[in-house]
Each structure stands twice: as C-alpha cells, then as structure tokens.
C-alpha cells in the first residue's frame, strides 16, 4: 500500500503516462480511494493535457524561446541611440536659439575672448530681429527620412525631445519642427552666424569672425572662428563641463571630410577657453564636433550665408 | 546618457525580454529562415516601440503576432514581384483570428516551459516531448528514478503557475 506522500510525487510522471506499469497500477488503486490525491492528479493532468492540446511546440521551439537572437536587441538599441542623437541635435539647435534670443547678455558670457565684437553683433542682431526664437509650431513638413520615428515626436512632444528637459535645463523653447529633418531645422531654425557688423571690422578688412554654439546636456560649447589664408583659427569655449573632461575637436566639411583640430582638456571649473586651428576653409565647414568620453558629442552646426 | 534615452532603452529591452522569444519562435516557423525571422522580429518590436498608442488597451502579444505575420506575408507578396507596403495602421487593426489565437497560445506555452528551471525543463523534455518513461529518463540523465518523478511533479506544478501567469488556465 502506497502512502499519499509516495503517490503525490509519482503523480506528475503518471500524468504523462511515464510510470512503469506495475507502479501505475498501484497509483491508480490509491487514486480510487483517496479524494485529495485524485484532485491533485486532476490538476496535473489538466496541465499535461494543455501541453498536448496546444500542440506542435517542439523541443527546439522551446529552445528558441529561451534564447531569442540577441542581435535583434543590439540592432534595436542602435536605432534608439540614433534617434536620441537626432533629438539631441534638435535640442542643441533649439538651445542655441534661446541663447541668441537672450541677446547681448548671453553672448557676453558665451563668446569668450572675442566677446566684445560678438556682443555688439548680437545686440544689433537682436535689435534688428526682435523675434529670432523659433516657435514650437514650426512647419510639420513630412520628412521622408524616418517619418515614423519623427512623427511620434511630433504627435507627442512631451515624450520627445522636450522630455529631456531635466537634463537640458537651458532649453526653454519648444524644439522647432520636430518632424523636420536636421537640415531643415538648421535652415529655418537659427543657429545664426553672427558676423560683426562693426564698421571698425570692415575698415580693418579682416574676414569677419563666425560664432556658433552647441549644447549637450549641461555642457555648452561655443566656437569662434576667424578665417585665415588657409583654414581658420578657432577659439573654443566650453562651459559646464566636468573638471578633467577631455574633448576632441573635429571639423566636418560639407563633403563629409573630417579633420581633427585639437584636443581639449577642461582644467578649470570656470569656462575653459582653447585655441585650435583647422586647415579647412571656413566656407566648406558645416559643423564642429566636440567628442567627449563615451558617445558624448556636442555638435556645433555652422550656418553659412 | 539622457533620461529619455535610458527610458527608450528600457522600453526596448522590456519589449525584447518579454516578447522576443515567443515572437521569434513564431516567425521562424512562418519563414523557416533565421535571418528573415530576425528582421521581422526587429521590425515588429520597433513598431511596438514607436507606436505605444497603438498598443494601449490591446493584448500586446496578439498585436505583435499580428504585425509579425503581416510583415511575413507582405514579404511573400513582395517576393512575388508585387511590391506592397502595409502601413502601421493597417497592420494594427487586423483582428486576431482563430489561427492567430492558437499561435499566441502555443507560444505562451512554449514560453512557460522555457521559464521553468533547467532541471524541470529537462525532465519535461524527456518525459513529454520524447515520451520516455521514468526509468528511461533516469537512465538517459543518470539520475535516480525517484528524482525523475519528483522533478516531473514539481515541473508540472511550476508549469501550472507559469501558464496561469500568462492567462492560460489549464
């Protein structure tokens, strides 16, 4: 005579009909007399029965379910990262617009060594164009490029770039035309090249300096470029960066060429100012990039006239 | 890394962890080609990530299976030189039919089996899939017959819970 405990542990195998015939007979005899064990057996049989009923899930199927292809996850994360980079570019543009709207005060802080001329220019610019801020309701032009992703941002701005406000406190303007590709945003969206309109400069016949900036997280970078016979002299101001942070300054041309213009190490908690040179003519430069640790990139687009 | 980026990555990882296995098994059955199955799973999860609205209030597994199946069929049509794109909207509104329901159910079962502890899954494979007796399983795995029996018992109890978690009451 089997005890309930002995029978219980055999019930699973019995539900699959896997017991040896002699033991199966003993178990059946017990089940005929024991209501509790019979109820337990019914429950287990329902489970094994379901396995048979849904059918056609093989051993190898189960193996695939256990280990789905990780390559898919990697690819998905890359897509996500690419979208994030696009969002950041738009944010940087929007942030630049805000800075410009701030006029002379903002430029006085940001423009570093050549601040005076830039301040003048900015004030003049601000005076002549009182509303450079791009409003949030920019044209929702259907960008063919990745319209699905951008469309989501357009439809739900609170989940789009705006949601990154926590890390991008300087962004107070709605990101302009989130559904536009970066190129369009740049054209309509005002990273203006401020050229000094000071008469003094034109008398000097020096090529006007070009000032532009970009924001990534809490870090703001401004590049002031002065054209030279070959290439340009660059003054880079980085603010908000961690002490000891290292950036590599790249100059990117319209045809995709990329030139490393220098390496910057932030050695001061205050605004750090660096000088660098590039052999690339300013007219062909589309943007500067400051590449920090990891995948941190501060893009500083240039708008040529 | 920005908070939004992290949130996106978390969403993608959650989608992948929760659904990629059964979805991949299902699509692999439809296509018979691992590369194509990977592509379809990727595209399906991508659409789920991009369209959280489309998923609100719907059984996500059925939605994913529907999208994946239609992607596979679209590819079939495209291969027959009749290029045809199905928009996200069209993909999402197709109701789940019986066949799809069964597929969702079987892959939930596969998932539940996959969620078992390895030693439980192992005895199930022998006792259920390979139809072996306790004694044969004991010989094959080199473990006592009593262990095979107790593992089979606990495997079924665990499977019952795993099925119930997935809305499949045996």
């Amino acid at each position: 005579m089997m005890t309930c405990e002995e029978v219980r542990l055999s019930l699973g195998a019995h539900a699959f009909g896997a017991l040896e015939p002699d033991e199966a007979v003993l178990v059946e005899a017990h089940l005929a007399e024991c209501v509790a064990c019979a109820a337990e057996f019914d429950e287990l049989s329902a489970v094994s029965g379901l396995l048979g009923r849904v059918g056609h899930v093989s051993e190898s199927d189960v193996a695939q379910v256990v280990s789905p292809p990780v390559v898919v996850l990697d690819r998905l994360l890359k897509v996500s990262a690419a979208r994030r980079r696009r969002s950041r570019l738009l944010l940087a543009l929007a942030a630049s617009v805000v800075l410009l709207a701030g006029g002379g005060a903002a430029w006085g802080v940001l423009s570093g060594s050549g601040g005076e001329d830039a301040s003048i220019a900015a004030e003049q610019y601000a005076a002549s164009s009182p509303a450079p801020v791009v409003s949030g309701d920019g044209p929702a032009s259907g960008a063919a490029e990745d319209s699905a992703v951008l469309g989501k941002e357009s439809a739900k701005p609170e989940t789009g770039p705006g949601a990154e406000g926590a890390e991008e406190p300087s962004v107070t303007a709605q990101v302009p035309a989130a559904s536009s590709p970066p190129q369009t945003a740049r054209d309509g969206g005002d990273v203006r090249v401020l050229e000094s309109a000071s008469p003094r400069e034109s008398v000097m016949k020096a090529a006007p300096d070009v000032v532009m900036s970009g924001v990534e997280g809490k870090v703001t970078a401004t590049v002031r470029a002065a054209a030279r016979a070959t290439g340009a002299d660059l003054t880079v101001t980085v603010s908000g960066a961690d002490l000891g942070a290292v950036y590599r300054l790249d100059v990117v041309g319209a045809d995709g060429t990329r030139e490393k213009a220098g390496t910057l190490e932030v050695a001061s908690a205050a605004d750090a100012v660096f000088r660098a040179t590039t052999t690339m003519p300013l007219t062909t430069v589309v943007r500067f990039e400051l590449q920090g640790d990891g995948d941190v990139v501060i893009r500083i687009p240039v708008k040529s006239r | 890394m920005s908070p939004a980026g992290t949130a996106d990555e978390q969403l993608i990882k959650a989608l992948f962890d929760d659904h990629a296995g059964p979805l991949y098994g299902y699509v692999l059955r439809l296509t018979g080609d691992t590369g194509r199955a990977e592509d379809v799973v990727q595209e399906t999860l991508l659409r789920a990530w991009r369209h959280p609205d489309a998923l609100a209030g719907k059984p996500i597994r059925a939605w994913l299976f529907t999208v994946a199946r239609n992607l596979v069929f679209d590819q079939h049509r495209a291969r027959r030189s009749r290029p045809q794109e199905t928009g996200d909207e069209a993909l999402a509104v197709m109701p789940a039919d019986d066949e799809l329901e069964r597929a969702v159910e079987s892959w939930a079962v596969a998932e539940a089996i996959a969620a078992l502890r390895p030693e439980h899954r192992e005895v199930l494979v022998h006792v259920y899939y390979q139809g072996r007796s306790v004694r044969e399983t004991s010989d094959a795995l080199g473990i006592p017959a009593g262990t095979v029996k107790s593992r089979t018992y606990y495997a079924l109890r665990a499977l019952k819970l795993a099925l119930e978690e997935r809305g499949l009451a045996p």
Side-chain angles (χ1 to χ4, degrees):
Chain A
M1 195 64 191
M2 293 178 86
T3 66
C4 283
E5 271 181 30
E6 287 171 328
V7 169
R8 286 288 165 99
L9 285 186
S10 295
L11 288 182
H14 192 48
F16 286 115
L19 292 178
E20 302 307 317
D22 51 344
E23 189 183 354
V25 169
L26 291 176
V27 168
E28 278 298 326
H30 181 89
L31 292 180
E33 295 173 357
C34 180
V35 175
C37 285
E40 174 84 13
F41 180 68
D42 285 346
E43 269 190 40
L44 296 176
S45 296
V47 180
S48 62
L50 179 67
L51 289 186
R53 200 165 67 249
V54 300
H56 308 317
V57 176
S58 70
E59 190 184 339
S60 65
D61 290 334
V62 174
Q64 273 139 17
V65 168
V66 180
S67 54
V70 177
V71 61
V72 172
L73 177 60
D74 291 343
R75 288 196 229 142
L76 287 169
L77 291 175
K78 281 195 183 105
V79 172
S80 162
R83 191 180 81 147
R84 193 166 69 244
R85 280 195 294 276
R86 264 200 306 279
S87 299
R88 282 181 180 169
L89 175 57
L90 291 170
L91 268 173
L93 290 166
S96 302
V97 171
V98 173
L99 293 174
L100 283 167
W107 282 108
V109 174
L110 282 171
S111 51
S113 60
E116 193 183 337
D117 287 347
S119 294
I120 294 166
E123 277 158 17
Q124 290 173 342
Y125 176 76
S128 61
S129 308
V133 176
V134 175
S135 68
D137 55 358
S141 62
E145 176 231 10
D146 210 351
S147 60
V149 168
L150 291 166
K152 177 185 169 191
E153 287 168 2
S154 172
K156 292 183 65 183
E158 72 275 14
T159 63
E164 295 186 27
E167 194 184 307
E168 320 269 0
S170 59
V171 178
T172 55
Q174 190 77 262
V175 172
S179 58
S180 303
Q183 186 62 43
T184 307
R186 186 189 304 147
D187 290 343
D190 282 75
V191 170
R192 304 246 185 232
V193 174
L194 293 184
E195 297 188 351
S196 172
S198 150
R200 185 162 53 90
E201 286 259 333
S202 53
V203 169
M204 287 163 64
K205 289 181 182 172
D209 287 2
V210 182
V211 181
M212 51 252 129
S213 64
V215 179
E216 171 65 33
K218 59 188 169 63
V219 183
T220 302
T222 304
V223 173
R224 181 183 188 85
R228 294 291 175 253
T230 56
D233 288 345
L234 309 172
T235 305
V236 185
T237 306
V238 178
S239 62
D242 292 330
L243 204 59
V246 177
Y247 294 96
R248 164 190 157 143
L249 177 67
D250 276 0
V251 184
V252 182
D255 57 357
T257 53
R258 181 179 284 269
E259 181 187 81
K260 180 186 172 184
T263 302
L264 326 174
E265 183 174 355
V266 177
S268 154
D271 288 3
V273 181
F274 308 92
R275 294 185 192 285
T277 58
T278 176
T279 60
M280 210 181 282
L282 267 189
T283 48
T284 67
V285 176
V286 291
R287 71 173 181 277
F288 299 89
E289 285 186 4
L290 278 181
Q291 304 190 353
D293 292 334
D295 62 352
V296 175
V297 178
I298 306 172
R299 288 184 172 77
I300 305 162
V302 177
K303 181 175 177 179
S304 55
R305 288 204 303 170
Chain B
M1 188 176 294
S2 71
T6 304
D8 268 342
E9 285 181 3
Q10 281 172 351
L11 176 58
I12 286 172
K13 280 177 181 149
L15 280 170
F16 184 86
D17 290 344
D18 292 349
H19 304 291
L23 194 58
Y24 179 66
Y26 173 63
V27 176
L28 189 54
R29 280 277 196 83
L30 293 179
T31 64
D33 177 316
T34 54
R36 282 183 61 209
E38 286 169 6
D39 289 346
V40 169
V41 170
Q42 177 186 342
E43 180 61 24
T44 303
L45 293 179
L46 200 56
R47 290 183 188 214
W49 171 57
R50 285 172 177 173
H51 299 280
D53 298 348
L55 285 167
K58 291 180 192 163
I60 183 167
R61 190 60 70 74
W63 189 92
L64 292 171
F65 273 50
T66 308
V67 169
R69 186 182 66 175
N70 289 334
L71 285 170
V72 170
F73 291 164
D74 277 356
Q75 287 181 359
H76 280 313
R77 279 197 288 271
R79 276 157 190 249
R80 292 205 301 258
S81 74
R82 220 179 63 190
Q84 186 169 346
E85 281 296 318
T86 302
D88 291 336
E89 297 78 12
L91 283 169
V93 296
M94 177 171 279
D97 54 27
D98 286 352
E99 182 200 332
L100 201 73
E101 245 170 57
R102 278 200 305 279
V104 169
E105 191 178 58
S106 354
W107 289 100
V109 169
E111 189 185 28
I113 294 172
L116 295 175
R117 286 165 55 178
E119 65 267 27
H120 289 163
R121 201 163 61 231
E122 187 179 51
V123 294
L124 266 197
V125 164
H126 284 264
V127 170
Y128 172 60
Y129 284 113
Q130 299 176 4
R132 288 183 171 161
S133 71
V134 169
R135 185 175 296 160
E136 289 164 344
T137 305
S138 165
D139 290 344
L141 295 177
I143 55 177
T147 306
V148 173
K149 284 193 267 186
S150 63
R151 282 186 185 172
T152 307
Y153 173 78
Y154 289 114
L156 272 183
R157 298 240 43 115
L159 189 58
K160 183 176 193 296
L161 285 180
L163 290 169
E164 282 167 357
E165 275 174 17
R166 288 161 178 80
L168 290 173

